[in-house]
Amino acid sequence: MRLFKYTILSIILLLASKNAFGQKVEQSIPEKTRILFLFDASGSMLAPWENTLRITAAKQILSDLVDSLKVNDKVELALRAYGHQSPAKDQNCKDTRLEIGFSKNNHDNIIKRLEYVYPKGNTPIAYSLLQSANDFPVDDSYRNIIIIITDGIESCDGDPCAVSLELQKKDIFLKPFVIGLGMREQFAKEFECMGSYFNAKNINAFRTVLNGILAQSLNKTTASVELLDDKGNPTETNVNVSFINNFTGSSEFDFIHYRDRNGKPDTVEVDPVLTYNIHVNTIPPVVKKNVFLKGGTHNVIKIQSPQGSLKINQSNSTEYGNPVEALIRASGKGEIINTQLIHSSEKYLIGSYDIELLTLPRILIKNIKIEQGELREISIPAPGRVNLVYASKGIGSLYETDADGKQRWIKNIDPRGGQISFGIQPGNYKFVFRSDKAMGSKYTQIKEFTVKSGTTANIRIY
């Protein structure tokens, strides 16, 4: 008997493990990375910088960084330079060249080639960036990163921002890092539209920024999203969450939020190179903009998204044939934020909503409050039915009337002869009809009638 129990337990555990390991991770970050250094070798790099030249300091620090990456077998490097082949007087706006392409163990080649790069000409950043699209081999198992090192802005009438955006949209590379060497603060706007911009005011700052970018790019980064209720507790879950690239507007990660049995939100691996607008797709959605993730660590992102539920009930709703829909708007707003079928339950952010039910006639219910964690149920009267029987085709209109004699047009009805039957809410109505055989408006017929829930009103038109 004991052996039998152990056998059953083993089978259960085996099935559970197969089920768990059979689940496929659909979204993951490539383990390997390619980094292209786009290096400014225009004439201005010969300017003094502390006790040396900008070009000398930039070469040394970049060489040290490249040398330090020899131990990382998951990273490939390449070097493209610009402004180093033609003198400034030639105004060569295509002065760029891939000096060392991507390959394994090419670190020494990059370091040696840097020694021979000498500043000469212009600063064709846009054109160089465009050409860099050809430097990255097509391989989905790599992330493509570009680090631009420059001491000046575009000098060839190009548009580096437009080029950067276009190449990011094509998934050529991730959001670029741009390092300005000793540049004036007003130039920041010229580069922030390209990617993540850092101004290295001195040599030590350049080394720090470069190492920081490397850590941000290569270290494993995770995040958890805490969806907070109205008391600030992370109790909300089972909501689609989208990490949207705030530069390109494209979705980078989508997942259905999950909390484990202890109430802790799931941890996901994300790419810290990008900056995100995080969309919590509640109704209406909540967006947290410009979320920067610190690389190499776990990031906790807290987003207020308290929800309650709404359900609309109606007996005998099959009288309408098709399921009745409700248009949901935030109270006092014109925009429809959701369409909900009656008898269904839907979650909404806590707050006040206006509900328009597409019954006949339509029903508008204002300022329905949704509270945290509660189900708000609304019941509307069951419909009745109208049978319109008429001898000839013509033109007709249906009105709703009240006790004061006021009327509200509901719909036009153009009988073709015979009978029309439809569901309608309980109330007082008037049908105005003129046969196409009538020889004047004075022959218009008017029929007043009352509809009750679950009953049928038969109206005859002669």
Side-chain angles (χ1 to χ4, degrees), residues 22-219:
Q23 298 180 41
K24 181 183 177 182
V25 176
E26 297 287 345
Q27 302 173 95
S28 59
I29 298 174
E31 291 186 359
K32 295 180 288 187
T33 300
R34 287 194 171 106
I35 301 176
L36 172 67
F37 296 104
L38 185 54
F39 190 75
D40 185 351
S42 61
S44 59
M45 287 289 284
L46 289 171
W49 204 23
E50 298 184 10
N51 59 350
T52 184
L53 302 178
R54 284 178 184 167
I55 188 67
T56 304
K59 284 182 179 182
Q60 183 60 57
I61 293 172
L62 182 56
S63 295
D64 293 344
L65 182 75
V66 170
D67 186 67
S68 71
L69 289 171
K70 288 180 178 179
V71 296
N72 194 330
D73 61 358
K74 296 186 182 301
V75 177
E76 287 188 13
L77 306 176
L79 172 68
R80 172 178 284 274
Y82 61 84
H84 63 306
Q85 299 176 96
S86 303
K89 63 181 179 63
D90 290 350
Q91 292 294 305
N92 184 358
C93 285
K94 294 184 178 181
D95 185 357
T96 183
R97 184 169 64 195
L98 178 64
E99 296 294 338
I100 302 293
F102 286 106
S103 66
K104 296 184 181 298
N105 303 315
N106 65 351
H107 307 77
D108 288 338
N109 291 337
I110 292 176
I111 293 170
K112 289 178 181 178
R113 184 59 59 90
L114 276 170
E115 294 177 3
Y116 294 98
V117 172
Y118 187 79
K120 290 183 180 179
N122 291 334
T123 312
I125 298 176
Y127 182 78
S128 302
L129 199 59
L130 186 62
Q131 297 308 302
S132 72
N134 303 314
D135 300 341
F136 293 97
V138 178
D139 190 338
D140 290 338
S141 65
Y142 281 84
R143 300 156 68 228
N144 293 339
I145 292 174
I146 187 165
I147 300 176
I148 304 170
I149 301 169
T150 183
D151 77 331
I153 61 175
E154 170 74 29
S155 66
C156 288
D157 297 325
D159 189 343
C161 296
V163 173
S164 177
L165 178 59
E166 185 65 24
L167 295 183
Q168 288 180 69
K169 285 182 175 180
K170 292 179 179 179
D171 292 327
I172 303 299
F173 48 68
L174 298 174
K175 186 177 180 179
F177 293 102
V178 185
I179 306 176
L181 305 183
M183 297 179 65
R184 286 177 287 180
E185 293 293 338
Q186 60 262 39
F187 290 147
K189 292 182 179 180
E190 301 283 342
F191 295 105
E192 287 173 348
C193 57
M194 293 174 58
S196 298
Y197 174 69
F198 303 88
N199 186 12
K201 295 182 178 180
N202 52 55
I203 294 174
N204 186 56
F206 176 47
R207 188 185 302 275
T208 300
V209 166
L210 197 55
N211 287 327
I213 288 174
L214 203 65
Q216 183 78 7
S217 302
L218 302 181
N219 293 340

Side-chain angles (χ1 to χ4, degrees), residues 309-312 328-332 348-357 364-371 375-379:
S309 299
L310 171 68
K311 185 178 182 183
I312 305 166
I328 312 297
R329 299 176 174 88
S331 287
Y348 295 88
L349 290 181
I350 63 173
S352 295
Y353 296 90
D354 294 339
I355 302 170
E356 184 178 8
L357 291 146
L364 179 60
I365 307 173
K366 293 186 176 183
N367 296 319
I368 297 300
K369 292 191 179 299
I370 306 295
E371 304 288 347
L375 173 62
R376 178 68 186 272
E377 292 196 67
I378 296 173
S379 295

